[in-house]
Amino acid sequence: MALDQSFVGRSYPPTDPYEVGREKIREFAEAVGDTNPAYMDPEAAKALGYSDVIAPPTFVFAITFKAAGQVVQDPQLGLDYSRVVHGDQKFAYTRPVRAGDRLTVTSTIEAIKSMAGNDIVDIRGEVHDEAGEHVVTAVTKLVARAAEEG
């Protein structure tokens, strides 16, 4: 059954603040194999003009995907998460994520489409720091595969 188009534009409350730590950034950079010194060495980051280490571009996925859980778990939307695969991900940065940032995410359903029985949902996550300044917009595309017949 196709998802209700009236949900397009629906926003969910901001998440509690997520405090970005140096160690989390370092662990993430190591996990993705990115050895950029700005991700691990505060002095290297400061030499580039940052106040502390910065995070790799995809680091923010961990908090925006968790925030998108509000959409996924909305019983009124009716998305069958057992059939969901991650279809695409895009980021548009105002500035890099830095150690010490306290970030909140507000999720909004940007689009709902049906194709070949599959439901496709685009969720925009607006990430702001504790001063209310925009840091990054993440758009996550989720595909709920059509149920197999028979």
Side-chain angles (χ1 to χ4, degrees):
M1 178 181 230
L3 297 177
D4 185 346
Q5 289 290 320
S6 73
F7 277 75
V8 173
R10 181 177 289 196
S11 291
Y12 294 78
T15 61
D16 290 334
Y18 174 90
E19 188 163 345
V20 179
R22 279 187 189 165
E23 189 64 16
K24 288 287 186 184
I25 291 172
R26 184 189 65 75
E27 289 170 349
F28 185 88
E30 287 177 351
V32 298
D34 195 329
T35 60
N36 184 331
Y39 303 153
M40 300 180 194
D41 179 1
E43 294 310 313
K46 287 176 184 174
L48 294 171
Y50 301 110
S51 59
D52 206 328
V53 295
I54 59 172
T58 55
F59 175 86
V60 77
F61 176 77
I63 62 171
T64 58
F65 192 73
K66 182 177 180 181
Q70 293 177 89
V71 176
V72 169
Q73 296 168 4
D74 185 338
Q76 294 177 329
L77 178 61
L79 185 66
D80 181 358
Y81 193 70
S82 72
R83 306 207 58 79
V84 168
V85 295
H86 184 242
D88 192 19
Q89 187 69 51
K90 295 178 185 174
F91 302 100
Y93 276 86
T94 301
R95 69 161 175 84
V97 170
R98 300 180 294 241
D101 276 340
R102 290 177 48 84
L103 304 175
T104 59
V105 183
T106 301
S107 297
T108 301
I109 298 175
E110 190 155 89
I112 296 174
K113 301 176 199 164
S114 286
M115 292 176 55
N118 299 311
D119 288 319
I120 303 166
V121 181
D122 291 344
I123 303 167
R124 183 180 74 246
E126 296 289 349
V127 181
H128 292 86
D129 63 19
E130 69 183 330
E133 297 294 319
H134 180 264
V135 176
V136 59
T137 298
V139 178
T140 303
K141 185 179 295 290
L142 300 178
V143 179
R145 298 168 291 120
E148 297 173 10
E149 299 201 22

